Amino acid sequence: MKKILLGLLGIALCTTMVCKAAPQAASETKIALKGVTDVSAAFGKTQVSVKITTHEVDIGKPSDPRPEKILSSCTFSRIPCSPVDYMEISVNNNALFVARSVYADLADVGVASLRQKKKGQFVLTLGGGDASESYTVEVTFDENLVRQRTLMSNEAKQVMQRTTYFASQSMDK
């Protein structure tokens, strides 16, 4: 009996330690099919806000065959399609320059979340598409600049594109 109690106590302690060691998942915000969705979080005294603007595009009915040539960023995993039109990122009410290449090819984004990568550096994670068209985009930024965008295929489980952004010399002055 004593061994069983000690075993159960050991399991409880291990479970507690594992749960505390696991990183907390950032809460996800559902992205609206059309309009502006605000994703925000506080990391200590730092307030981060992202506004994502989308609209709907009629791409037919779910029963329609997928076109041979796709002429938009639509993934055809959601009907109607919902492309991202604009993205604003601010840290402590300081708006960052967000290049169109960060968001212009994104569509059918379903969820977004914010997390702190390290002190002073943040990551916006966007999940889009569905099934074979499923993707994740991570946008890394700090209080001054969007630093990097990484596009990953969820089906292939690999990085498909990584773009690094640098401040122009005029921004350094």
Side-chain angles (χ1 to χ4, degrees), residues 100-148:
R100 282 188 45 76
S101 60
V102 171
Y103 60 85
D105 63 341
L106 302 179
D108 303 325
V109 176
V111 294
S113 63
L114 285 165
R115 66 181 166 85
Q116 188 169 19
K117 187 172 183 175
K118 59 184 181 182
K119 188 167 174 64
Q121 195 170 65
F122 311 96
V123 177
L124 168 67
T125 302
L126 304 167
D130 190 28
S132 66
E133 297 294 329
S134 175
Y135 66 89
T136 299
V137 169
E138 289 187 344
V139 180
T140 305
F141 58 96
D142 57 31
E143 64 183 10
N144 299 311
L145 185 69
V146 172
R147 300 284 175 182
Q148 183 173 281

Side-chain angles (χ1 to χ4, degrees), residues 80-91:
C81 175
S82 179
V84 174
D85 297 316
Y86 191 69
M87 185 182 295
E88 299 173 45
I89 300 175
S90 64
V91 179

